[in-house]
Amino acid sequence: MSVTIGAAREILRGNDRGGYTVPTAALYPYQWNWDSAFVAMGWITFDEPRAWRELERLLEGQWADGMVPHIVFHAPADTYFPGPDVWRTGHSVPTSGITQPAVLATSVRRCLDAATDRAGAEARAAAIYPRLVAYHRWWAAARDPGGTGLVGMLHPWESGMDNSPAWDVPFARVSPTPTTPIRRKDTGHVDAGMRPTDDFYRRVIALIDLYASLGWDPSRMWAETPFKVADVALNAILHRAERDLLALAQRFGDPAERGEIADRLHRSRAAIGGLWRASDGIFQPVDLSTGERIPVATSAGFLPLYAGIGDGTVASALAATLHRWKALAPYGVPSTAPDHPGFEPKRYWRGPVWAIVNWMIADGFAAAGETGAANAIRDDTATLVRRHGFAEYFDPTTGDGLGGGSFTWTAAIALAWNLLEE
Ligand code: DGY
């Protein structure tokens, strides 16, 4: 397969299901939240109305309390588990009951800045803006009810980095489901060695069963969950999105909204800064059920720079960490430190490289003036995609493309990041 701009556009068109883009055929047959935020950044490079449509269709699934679900089940499909019958959220547009990293406001701002149809973009962004305000208020109310400045995730799928070794200890507190049958479809599409284990599925479904029994009420979920983690990526991505929302609020909002966003930014900047672990040269998450630090280094730990958090000392320590990792695994950035015992180079979020994460990490290094690290990550990503195509993820030791093929967000970020040629 040729890996060109034209080929990347073909992936997006081929995965278009009518205003929303599936991540890849069969393996993921619905619309995913953070996927679509990145995918709109790809669409905007060659089809502006289609980029706005992607975001609007995602927001068709938004709940009345502001939550934007991690999956919108626009049309029935029998190639994915767990489907809407397992989630039982009871919404007229069927959705899952949890969210995903809040890339959305960042995507809207980027699409607005990139658009050549200025009037069209202003109108579409203005209509979306109140939905973003509601979404960010939901994050604060539902996922940080104590106002600490750190949001907690209540399900590993909310991190987007589903089976990261960082969740192994807190997730062990979730008892596997005794009732709901596990009817995995993913391992019929992709080698089981590249996917989470059956034990992981029994526990993720147990959490879904618990939350369904609580009527998906955020305060009951917060009080009763056995799994509550302040993830670095989730918080850094939300902080960056709050900054982008503040920029949108200058155009579309009022002083009260701007003040509210600025207050949240003030709190989260200090709290995310507190996740820095100088002895390990990386930011690390906190288990909110115990208050303990989770001493696992993952690619999430670089992302505060993408949020504009971390001074020059922190940025150069993170660049040194990156170089250490690259000496062990040549293609950066592995999702888990290559010297961690939980590192598995082919298994989903336990080791492989993800192009969208690379884009965020490189963006952070560039903003912090660590140009060498930013360029190294961009070069690695370009090499991986050009040699191995638009794979879902890549082996950091060999570069091999893994998981689903013809993958939308890999193609989209290659377009947005300008990694390809005609
Ligand atoms: C999956 O099914 O693997 C998804 O990542 C869940 O969001």
Side-chain angles (χ1 to χ4, degrees):
M1 179 197 56
S2 66
V3 183
T4 58
I5 291 174
R9 290 177 179 172
E10 272 318 301
I11 301 271
L12 268 59
R13 290 195 190 102
N15 288 335
D16 184 357
R17 295 291 180 272
Y20 70 95
T21 321
V22 297
T24 189
L27 180 61
Y28 304 117
Y30 307 110
Q31 185 174 23
W32 263 258
N33 180 334
W34 74 326
D35 288 71
S36 277
F38 288 113
V39 169
M41 298 182 199
W43 278 114
I44 201 74
T45 64
F46 69 104
D47 186 341
E48 294 182 15
R50 183 60 188 76
W52 294 110
R53 199 73 199 113
E54 185 79 26
L55 300 167
E56 289 159 358
R57 294 233 56 190
L58 178 67
L59 288 164
E60 286 173 14
Q62 186 170 29
W63 288 17
D65 66 1
M67 200 264 278
V68 180
H70 101 293
I71 307 176
V72 184
F73 301 108
H74 289 289
D78 60 6
T79 58
Y80 182 82
F81 173 87
D85 54 318
V86 178
W87 288 93
R88 294 159 283 160
T89 56
H91 281 251
S92 52
V93 177
T95 70
S96 70
I98 56 170
T99 192
Q100 252 183 344
V103 184
L104 194 53
T106 301
S107 177
V108 172
R109 183 181 183 193
R110 190 175 166 102
C111 289
L112 181 61
D113 288 348
T116 54
D117 170 10
R118 298 304 314 156
E122 289 275 339
R124 307 224 18 200
I128 289 173
Y129 169 77
R131 308 291 209 104
L132 300 178
V133 172
Y135 184 34
H136 285 216
R137 281 184 184 145
W138 174 86
W139 270 107
R143 293 295 189 266
D144 182 20
T148 64
L150 285 179
V151 292
M153 60 171 183
L154 303 186
H155 194 291
W157 283 343
E158 286 198 319
S159 71
M161 304 189 179
D162 305 6
N163 62 337
S164 166
W167 325 140
D168 287 356
V169 168
F171 203 40
R173 265 180 239 124
V174 177
S175 308
T177 178
T179 47
T180 305
I182 307 296
R183 299 202 170 92
R184 293 185 65 171
K185 302 282 175 78
D186 57 324
T187 44
H189 309 300
V190 165
D191 187 304
M194 300 177 192
R195 293 289 305 171
T197 60
D198 284 348
D199 179 66
F200 174 86
Y201 266 80
R202 279 192 286 273
R203 291 171 205 266
V204 290
I205 299 305
L207 282 180
I208 294 175
D209 287 346
L210 170 65
Y211 300 149
S213 78
L214 300 175
W216 297 101
D217 172 338
S219 54
R220 295 186 68 197
M221 290 163 65
W222 185 267
E224 295 187 37
T225 185
F227 180 83
K228 194 188 299 180
V229 174
D231 169 31
V232 179
L234 200 70
N235 279 282
I237 290 169
L238 179 60
H239 186 88
R240 165 64 181 263
E242 292 274 32
R243 290 175 52 185
D244 292 319
L245 185 64
L246 186 57
L248 294 169
Q250 311 291 353
R251 275 160 132 129
F252 308 118
D254 59 35
E257 278 162 5
R258 291 194 281 275
E260 174 193 325
I261 299 163
D263 284 350
R264 288 198 301 264
L265 276 168
H266 182 70
R267 265 199 307 279
S268 58
R269 168 171 289 278
I272 295 170
L275 302 178
W276 174 242
R277 305 297 163 212
S279 53
D280 296 312
I282 199 145
F283 290 82
Q284 289 176 349
V286 171
D287 184 342
L288 295 176
S289 301
T290 60
E292 281 173 20
R293 172 174 80 95
I294 300 177
V296 181
T298 71
S299 55
F302 295 94
L303 287 174
L305 292 184
Y306 163 79
I309 294 172
D311 60 15
T313 310
V314 166
S316 67
L318 284 169
T321 299
L322 178 75
H323 290 304
R324 227 175 27 249
W325 289 17
K326 272 178 69 69
L328 300 169
Y331 302 97
V333 179
S335 39
T336 302
D339 55 357
H340 186 275
F343 172 73
E344 293 181 71
K346 293 197 186 313
R347 197 185 291 278
Y348 211 37
W349 288 95
R350 298 184 74 84
V353 178
W354 294 74
I356 49 107
V357 176
N358 277 9
W359 174 75
M360 292 188 285
I361 297 175
D363 180 87
F365 273 127
E370 289 290 341
T371 318
N375 290 343
I377 295 169
R378 188 175 185 280
D379 290 349
D380 280 1
T381 317
T383 301
L384 289 170
V385 172
R386 286 191 203 137
R387 284 200 197 142
H388 302 281
F390 302 106
E392 184 178 4
Y393 40 91
F394 302 88
D395 183 327
T397 59
T398 62
D400 291 344
L402 307 168
S406 300
F407 214 83
T408 306
W409 73 5
T410 308
I413 214 67
L415 290 170
W417 206 356
N418 207 11
L419 297 184
L420 307 172
E421 285 162 12
E422 294 288 348

